[in-house]
Amino acid sequence: MNQYGMLVDLTKCIGCRGCQVACKQWNDMPAELTRNRGTYQNPPRLTSKTMTNIEFREVELKDKLAWVFVKRQCMHCEHPGCVAACTVGALQKRAEGPVVYDENRCIGCRYCMYACPFGVPTFEWDQTFALIKKCEMCIDRVDAGMKPACAKTCPAGAIQFGNREELLTVARERVYAKNSPYIKHIYGEEEVGGTSWMYLSSVPFEQIGFPTLPKETPVYLNDKVLHATPTIALGMALALSGVYWMVKRRNVIREYLAAENHEK
């Protein structure tokens, strides 16, 4: 099975937000009225109306300040915590890589928001019957043989779409080339079991807002909790039974003593 991936080279991103506009256009999503004087501005983070977002990060690079532009969207984890947490199957991991969302199944419980290590799924706070929104890697375009809208639009070639293993090969060649400007880390290669989106950077990822995550997947952690649940439930049942027995015994003793005192 050809598993898709996306490679973002942050050293090439020029912050034009072309990917953000293309995402909105393809998914028919409106501009956002922000709190900044009630005008339509670039939202500072992912929202239910912005499924991909360019963050502007000021960093110190070679003893001087510089801007790094960071593209944010769903990471499409290899072992997605959101899928494991969803109780109704509204989120599914496709064999080709994308994590897709079926709003017809969603009940708006927001478990996926708590389970995502990247804080991606966003809630429709302004809707009466609210659901969640997230990037689906333009699965409708991909199924039709096209690139995702963001990759198709990027004028600087900062976003590449293709086979995940082939993109990893490209990433390693860049990172370990002679006089490479990149740090020796391909973000998304191993984080939480690996993700379909991977990043290259000349600045440490923790300095530009990427969470430091273990290789262990959230699904594995969820499994440990689920496996422990029967034991915890049994322990709670026994404890509650013990409390019930003690309370009942105390009431019986009280009734007995009250009866004795009444006879006297």
Side-chain angles (χ1 to χ4, degrees):
M1 174 64 69
N2 178 30
Q3 189 166 4
Y4 299 119
M6 306 284 281
L7 179 63
V8 182
D9 189 334
L10 296 180
T11 68
K12 294 185 176 184
C13 181
I14 58 175
C16 68
R17 301 194 187 111
C19 57
Q20 187 172 319
V21 173
C23 177
K24 280 184 174 288
Q25 288 180 336
W26 183 257
N27 292 288
D28 194 25
M29 305 190 85
E32 288 197 75
L33 187 65
T34 67
R35 295 181 180 178
N36 184 13
R37 299 180 182 177
T39 58
Y40 290 95
Q41 302 282 343
N42 186 55
R45 63 187 64 85
L46 297 176
T47 72
S48 61
K49 296 181 179 66
T50 301
M51 295 191 295
T52 190
N53 178 254
I54 297 294
E55 293 181 0
F56 285 46
R57 295 275 180 169
E58 190 177 43
V59 299
E60 188 172 327
L61 189 61
K62 296 181 180 179
D63 299 323
K64 63 180 181 180
L65 293 177
W67 286 104
V68 176
F69 309 113
V70 183
K71 184 181 185 303
R72 303 287 189 192
Q73 73 295 304
C74 175
M75 295 292 286
H76 297 276
C77 301
E78 296 295 288
H79 307 281
C82 61
V83 172
C86 183
T87 59
V88 292
L91 290 157
Q92 297 289 334
K93 173 73 173 179
R94 285 189 37 166
E96 307 97 314
V99 177
V100 297
Y101 169 66
D102 184 352
E103 65 177 16
N104 294 317
R105 291 188 177 187
C106 183
I107 58 175
C109 67
R110 290 181 283 163
Y111 287 171
C112 57
M113 294 175 63
Y114 301 119
C116 177
F118 300 99
V120 168
T122 53
F123 195 60
E124 297 177 309
W125 296 105
D126 58 341
Q127 299 295 320
T128 303
F129 300 103
L131 302 176
I132 65 106
K133 295 293 182 182
K134 65 173 287 297
C135 157
E136 294 186 272
M137 204 190 287
C138 284
I139 191 61
D140 50 351
R141 292 177 60 91
V142 172
D143 285 345
M146 298 186 290
K147 293 180 181 179
C150 58
K152 175 70 174 178
T153 303
C154 182
I159 308 170
Q160 286 184 263
F161 171 75
N163 178 279
R164 185 177 187 272
E165 289 303 316
E166 291 176 1
L167 290 176
L168 273 173
T169 299
V170 171
R172 292 179 187 126
E173 288 174 353
R174 293 184 191 177
V175 166
Y176 297 105
K178 186 177 181 181
N179 299 321
S180 168
Y182 304 98
I183 61 169
K184 301 299 188 287
H185 182 186
I186 303 169
Y187 194 92
E189 180 180 12
E190 296 183 327
E191 275 77 9
V192 289
T195 61
S196 295
W197 279 79
M198 298 163 290
Y199 289 80
L200 299 179
S201 174
S202 58
V203 179
F205 287 103
E206 60 271 16
Q207 291 185 21
I208 50 178
F210 284 78
T212 301
L213 298 169
K215 295 179 181 180
E216 190 175 55
T217 73
V219 174
Y220 174 72
L221 297 174
N222 288 345
D223 285 345
K224 289 200 293 188
V225 173
L226 290 173
H227 289 156
T229 299
T231 303
I232 295 171
L234 179 60
M236 289 293 293
L238 290 174
L240 291 172
S241 296
V243 171
Y244 173 77
W245 180 82
M246 291 176 63
V247 170
K248 187 174 181 179
R249 184 171 181 272
R250 185 178 60 186
N251 289 338
V252 169
I253 293 173
R254 282 179 176 175
E255 289 174 1
Y256 174 77
L257 293 175
E260 277 196 341
N261 291 334
H262 180 71
E263 289 178 358
K264 291 179 181 179

